[in-house]
Amino acid sequence: MEKKILDKPFVRVYPELCKGCELCIDACPPQVLKFHEKFNSKGYHYATYIGENCTGCGICYYACPEPEAIVVYKKGYEYEGEEVA
Amino acid sequence: MASKILQKPEAFYKRYERNPSSDKKSPHYCPGCGHGNVHKFIAEALDDYNVADQTILISPVGCSVFAYYYFDTGNIQAAHGRAPAVATGIKRAHPHSIVISYQGDGDLAAIGTAEILHAANRGENITVFFVNNAIYGMTGGQMAPTTLVDQYSTTTPRGRNPHNEGYPIKVAELISQLEAPVYVERVSLHDTKNRNKARRAVRKALKNQIDNLGFSLVEILSPCTSGWKMDAVPSMKWIEENMVPQFPLGVFKDITDEVEPYERPEMDLSAQDIKKALGLEVVESESFEKPDFPNKYKNPEIKVAGFGGQGVLLLGAAMAQAGMLEDYHVSWLPSYGPEMRGGTANCHVNIRDIEVGSPMVTNPTVLIALNRPSLEKFENDVPEGGLIIYDTSLIDIEVKRTDVEVMPLPATKMADELGNTRTANMITLAAYAAYTGIFSKETLYETLNTAIKHKKFIDINKKAIDLGYEFGLKSKLS
């Protein structure tokens, strides 16, 4: 399969794994995370990426207490198959 | 970090199968709980140093009691406060493992104060992560040893008053005063800069252990959103404004550049070596053939009861010893409750064809009562068809039960006539063996060699066995 390289950083928050504590939103330097207006099944407004200007700094990842709610893809990340973003 | 992706570390399980949650992917921690961050830092470091497979994490009591749900490492959950003691044992037995004691403030600084101080003082080569959130979180927000002065908790409703509850215990300062610890730092989770420092401290503390440098402790100021009744973001501000002034951050001790690595040699734990170290003679005793005897006497659960000085415990131990010589599975459990003097001493003995599950005997199929209180106390515990042997020279009542076998035996009187009252226990043992047929006389003779400490008493005890054996055979026929 063809190797692809991510040309701009990306952050994904898994809605069902987010507990809506807001620490990532508070910590994000470019302020590109916000609460989604919807609730997840646990009843939390979950954090979500506004879709642009993520710098891939990883600060949200370390601010987040959940093991896998947030995944940060940095620029230059190599992947195959489905698009990251 | 060279990696181009930040995602769940491999040192976490893929799914948390033990976690009762439905999705098996979310930890049980409250939103914004600092345990999650610390877990992540540890898991990431375990990945980076590639030591997860040799790591044993000791979970404490507290919210992080379930840390073993999440870490794909070896896991042990210790009794409250005892994690450093358990960690010591694991590390000593497996010097090449990486042992982490993960503890909260109630666990480490209250009930476990002794354990942590002494583990630190011995300089155990372990890593302690001390999550300090200034409150008992799991139990609903009571005052912890680290609760701040004036801080509200359910047990300090007017705020912690030093005149009543003392001052918060500063663990990092305390531990750093000891000689042995190599690295002690206090960090905080309240903002990005401090989270990074915390992450580095976690890594360093683990690396110290990998390098065999000694004891490291990292105290982490961490939010308890539920206990503090705050949202996560304000709780971070609360740490900064309230906790940090009372718990100053920084490295309190770091002698990692000065100490020489010390690798503890593997211990040889074979039974032979332990015996040698204790100066015990290793006796190879031959095993004896099991005599044929009635099924109703097989697999006896025995209780021997009397008063101190009668050789109650020795009688039980000798029974177990005889059982071992005939290749049975045996157990012997002495039990001398609070009434050490003047009351009953007793022991529980199992002699079984299969492994003994519990050494406790609550309903003895064989009760050996050597004084009246013992007979009165345990008579009714014997199941129907059981056997009661009692010393008629000391017990002036009769067995009331009619649904059990009874062997009245004047053991003490017989022993007295033999010339040593203390042989009453061996007379009883032999009478029991002969009556039921469980042990041959040869087995009993051999038992004396290990049961009797002073060789000069062996002869008279042999005579006691002859006497008791004869008595037992006679009782069987009558």
Side-chain angles (χ1 to χ4, degrees), chain B residues 35-195:
Chain B
H35 279 304
N37 301 78
V38 182
H39 280 23
K40 219 172 187 177
F41 299 160
I42 295 172
E44 186 190 63
L46 294 178
D47 278 7
D48 291 348
Y49 295 128
N50 197 21
V51 292
D53 285 347
Q54 69 192 84
T55 294
I56 297 160
L57 185 106
I58 320 289
S59 310
V61 169
C63 292
S64 49
V65 61
F66 295 132
Y68 59 83
Y69 283 176
Y70 311 119
F71 285 95
D72 188 1
T73 58
N75 287 284
I76 291 179
Q77 196 276 313
H80 206 354
R82 278 34 165 175
V86 174
T88 299
I90 301 289
K91 187 70 184 186
R92 295 278 182 113
H94 298 286
H96 297 298
S97 57
I98 300 301
V99 183
I100 299 171
S101 177
Y102 187 106
Q103 300 178 264
D105 44 85
D107 190 81
L108 182 141
I111 194 166
T113 329
E115 279 75 9
I116 190 62
L117 276 182
H118 290 286
N121 194 47
R122 291 190 303 269
E124 299 296 340
N125 187 25
I126 59 173
T127 306
V128 180
F129 295 118
F130 170 44
V131 178
N132 176 0
N133 57 20
I135 207 155
Y136 277 91
M138 189 185 73
T139 48
Q142 292 82 1
M143 190 200 86
T146 48
T147 293
L148 306 179
V149 171
D150 292 335
Q151 183 183 339
Y152 164 87
S153 74
T154 57
T155 46
T156 52
R158 299 180 198 92
R160 181 178 189 158
N161 176 352
H163 294 295
N164 274 330
E165 293 89 31
Y167 290 90
I169 289 184
K170 299 184 174 179
V171 170
E173 284 87 336
L174 210 58
I175 299 292
S176 66
Q177 295 306 307
L178 297 170
E179 195 85 17
V182 296
Y183 172 61
V184 182
E185 179 167 1
R186 184 184 288 122
V187 294
S188 168
L189 297 176
H190 71 264
D191 60 20
T192 300
K193 191 177 117 199
N194 281 285
R195 278 191 287 264

Side-chain angles (χ1 to χ4, degrees), chain B residues 179-385:
Chain B
E179 195 85 17
V182 296
Y183 172 61
V184 182
E185 179 167 1
R186 184 184 288 122
V187 294
S188 168
L189 297 176
H190 71 264
D191 60 20
T192 300
K193 191 177 117 199
N194 281 285
R195 278 191 287 264
N196 276 335
K197 275 192 183 166
R199 210 175 119 231
R200 280 198 297 272
V202 166
R203 299 171 77 84
K204 183 174 164 78
L206 274 171
K207 188 71 170 44
N208 291 344
Q209 183 179 171
I210 294 167
D211 294 341
N212 293 309
L213 296 181
F215 183 92
S216 302
L217 180 140
V218 180
E219 175 174 344
I220 301 139
L221 304 185
S222 171
C224 178
T225 53
S226 299
W228 298 351
K229 303 179 178 25
M230 270 179 223
D231 285 339
V233 173
S235 71
M236 294 299 175
K237 215 171 173 55
W238 194 85
I239 294 180
E240 187 179 6
E241 289 173 357
N242 296 283
M243 281 188 90
V244 174
Q246 293 195 38
F247 289 113
L249 305 178
V251 178
F252 288 88
K253 185 170 186 189
D254 184 358
I255 52 167
T256 50
D257 286 341
E258 301 154 34
V259 291
E260 286 293 317
Y262 172 71
E263 209 168 331
R264 193 175 289 279
E266 294 268 2
M267 277 196 288
D268 191 336
L269 296 168
S270 76
Q272 297 288 337
D273 280 279
I274 291 171
K275 282 181 180 162
K276 218 164 132 191
L278 293 172
L280 296 174
E281 203 182 330
V282 180
V283 185
E284 290 294 336
S285 48
E286 53 180 314
S287 76
F288 291 77
E289 210 177 315
K290 293 174 185 169
D292 195 29
F293 65 108
N295 275 338
K296 62 175 173 177
Y297 298 132
K298 284 187 176 159
N299 296 307
E301 296 176 39
I302 306 164
K303 187 171 265 174
V304 189
F307 56 80
Q310 279 186 304
V312 170
L313 303 187
L314 178 61
L315 170 49
M319 284 177 150
Q321 181 71 31
M324 267 201 287
L325 288 172
E326 289 187 0
D327 283 338
Y328 287 105
H329 293 275
V330 303
S331 70
W332 171 72
L333 183 76
S335 154
Y336 31 92
E339 16 153 63
M340 284 275 281
R341 307 221 169 125
T344 61
N346 67 68
C347 64
H348 308 215
V349 179
N350 282 283
I351 300 168
R352 304 181 74 91
D353 290 325
I354 55 165
E355 277 178 43
V356 179
S358 162
M360 287 286 289
V361 174
T362 34
N363 293 105
T365 59
V366 178
L367 170 64
I368 297 178
L370 299 181
N371 67 355
R372 183 171 161 167
S374 303
L375 181 63
E376 289 172 334
K377 192 170 174 186
F378 299 118
E379 180 179 345
N380 288 324
D381 295 341
V382 179
E384 196 185 324

Side-chain angles (χ1 to χ4, degrees), chain A residues 62-83:
Chain A
Y62 291 111
C64 175
E66 298 302 309
E68 57 186 316
I70 292 185
V71 178
V72 175
Y73 303 87
K74 298 188 178 189
K75 189 177 168 183
Y77 171 68
E78 290 182 16
Y79 62 105
E80 288 173 357
E82 274 181 54
E83 291 300 325

